[in-house]
Amino acid sequence: MKLLKPIPLALMFGALFSALAATAQDHPLVSVYPGSKLLDRKAVAFDEYKFPVAKMWANKFTKELALEGKVERLEYSNPEERSSLEMFRNYQASLKQSGYQTLYSCSGEECGSGGGNTQVGQFHPGHDTRFISAKLPRAQGDVYVAVVVSGYYHRTYISVVEVRPMDENMTGLAPAASAPRAQASAPIQAEERQAPVSQRAAESSSRGGAKQVVTGVVKGLNAFGIQAKAGSASAKADIVVEGEVETSPFKGNDARIKWARTTATISLRDGRTSKIFTQFNITDKQGSGDYNEAVRRSQTELGKKVAKQINSEIASYFENQ
């Protein structure tokens, strides 16, 4: 007996080719010292960021700006036979020539005391560390750049924050009413037995939709550096993700725990040819003292799994082109 009608999903991935290529390139708003080797680049479409504009004291920056927007972090190995001083002065000059305004700059012990792995990278005053934070005013949103040149670690860390508002209504669905959270839950192994029909009908009526799945997929793909957007497919979409999501209850060994199982059936289609190049199913099961909370957990975790699988399938697809 099928109680829950599958909910259709559609995610649009704009400019996917350029987004994938960007993961292996320098940031377009910051010039990098020649000979530096990119080791890591991470991007988040929207997040909060505490931007340092003063020295460190007792392992904490004494003044930070509360920013929100697109956040990217890049890590480079420094070229051989180049001092941190030479590299740092070049970064200072380059930022100035590009229109950035210096908010704070320091070298060595001027940077304060303490140290550690911070939001701007490895920051250790007194250990051949040089730092600059700068701002580029723009009509479409200011850009903040922090550069740490570490002679001690032989690394350069660059953080870029593009101030912008958060994309809203990403799922294209009306917001679901928030479900009450369970006060307590225990990690009890589930035994998959179909719940009685009367129980399934009552519990399925409290289901909050697939919003958490879509949101989880979008966030997960953005974390992988893919520009994901929820909505209907368009001519601008390089890859279209289509699928169905269904959540249903099942009964475990402990009557105090309510279990929810969410399954997604996903198809990936090439936006240029409209050809489906892969399909897969993923399931996640979660339990809680409250069924609504079990549904939320199941859909949230499923979104993460789907994003990871989509990222893998897309990478494999382009490798074979």
Side-chain angles (χ1 to χ4, degrees), residues 293-305:
E293 176 64 11
V295 169
R296 187 194 68 79
R297 293 179 182 178
S298 177
Q299 293 183 350
T300 299
E301 291 304 312
L302 183 71
K304 297 176 183 178
K305 291 182 178 180

Side-chain angles (χ1 to χ4, degrees), residues 9 23 79 101 117 138 154 161 191 213 252 263 316:
L9 306 179
T23 61
Q101 303 168 354
N117 189 10
R138 298 191 311 176
H154 206 63
V161 182
E191 176 184 344
V213 178
T263 300
S316 177

Side-chain angles (χ1 to χ4, degrees), residues 35-303:
S36 301
K37 182 179 179 181
L38 181 61
L39 301 177
D40 189 32
R41 179 177 181 178
K42 297 179 180 178
V44 180
F46 182 85
D47 204 353
E48 58 185 359
Y49 190 92
K50 295 181 179 180
F51 189 80
V53 290
K55 67 173 61 178
M56 173 177 282
W57 183 259
N59 301 327
K60 294 183 179 180
F61 291 104
T62 56
K63 184 178 180 181
E64 298 171 328
L65 303 180
L67 305 179
E68 289 187 347
K70 182 178 181 180
V71 179
E72 295 196 45
R73 295 178 173 89
L74 304 95
E75 178 182 350
Y76 294 87
S77 62
N78 297 342
E80 298 292 338
E81 300 181 358
R82 296 295 182 182
S83 68
S84 64
L85 175 61
E86 180 184 16
M87 293 183 63
F88 183 66
R89 287 182 176 174
N90 274 270
Y91 276 110
Q92 286 180 307
S94 176
L95 290 171
K96 183 177 181 179
Q97 291 172 3
S98 299
Y100 284 87
Q101 303 168 354
T102 299
L103 302 179
Y104 177 71
S105 178
C106 66
S107 294
E109 295 181 354
E110 298 174 352
C111 297
S113 65
N117 189 10
T118 71
Q119 66 267 40
V120 293
Q122 292 289 349
F123 192 93
H124 297 270
H127 292 276
D128 198 7
T129 294
R130 304 177 191 276
F131 174 68
I132 182 172
S133 57
K135 172 184 176 181
L136 177 65
R138 298 191 311 176
Q140 65 269 41
D142 297 339
V143 179
Y144 291 80
V145 172
V147 179
V148 178
V149 180
S150 173
Y152 182 80
Y153 284 97
H154 206 63
R155 294 284 189 273
T156 294
Y157 306 91
I158 300 176
S159 301
V160 182
V161 182
E162 298 178 60
V163 176
R164 62 176 61 172
M166 179 183 69
D167 292 333
E168 296 182 350
N169 196 25
M170 294 291 287
T171 63
L173 301 174
S178 58
R181 292 179 177 269
Q183 295 183 353
S185 61
I188 300 176
Q189 184 67 33
E191 176 184 344
E192 292 198 38
R193 296 201 304 267
Q194 194 69 22
V197 173
S198 59
Q199 179 184 353
R200 296 204 308 271
E203 291 179 342
S204 64
S205 65
S206 65
R207 176 174 169 273
K211 178 180 179 181
Q212 290 91 344
V213 178
V214 182
T215 301
V217 171
V218 171
K219 288 183 177 180
L221 290 172
N222 286 339
F224 284 122
I226 297 176
Q227 297 178 2
K229 181 180 180 181
S232 301
S234 73
K236 296 181 180 179
D238 294 310
I239 298 294
V240 177
V241 179
E242 299 171 328
E244 295 180 344
V245 173
E246 184 175 356
T247 302
S248 59
F250 66 93
K251 191 175 182 180
N253 292 328
D254 193 329
R256 297 172 299 176
I257 304 300
K258 308 294 185 181
W259 291 90
R261 175 176 50 234
T262 302
T263 300
T265 302
I266 303 296
S267 299
L268 301 186
R269 178 162 55 87
D270 191 320
R272 303 163 300 172
T273 64
S274 296
K275 179 182 178 181
I276 293 177
F277 59 86
T278 190
Q279 293 178 311
F280 60 88
N281 296 321
I282 292 184
T283 298
D284 187 85
K285 296 168 286 188
Q286 297 289 330
S288 173
D290 179 85
Y291 180 69
N292 286 341
E293 176 64 11
V295 169
R296 187 194 68 79
R297 293 179 182 178
S298 177
Q299 293 183 350
T300 299
E301 291 304 312
L302 183 71

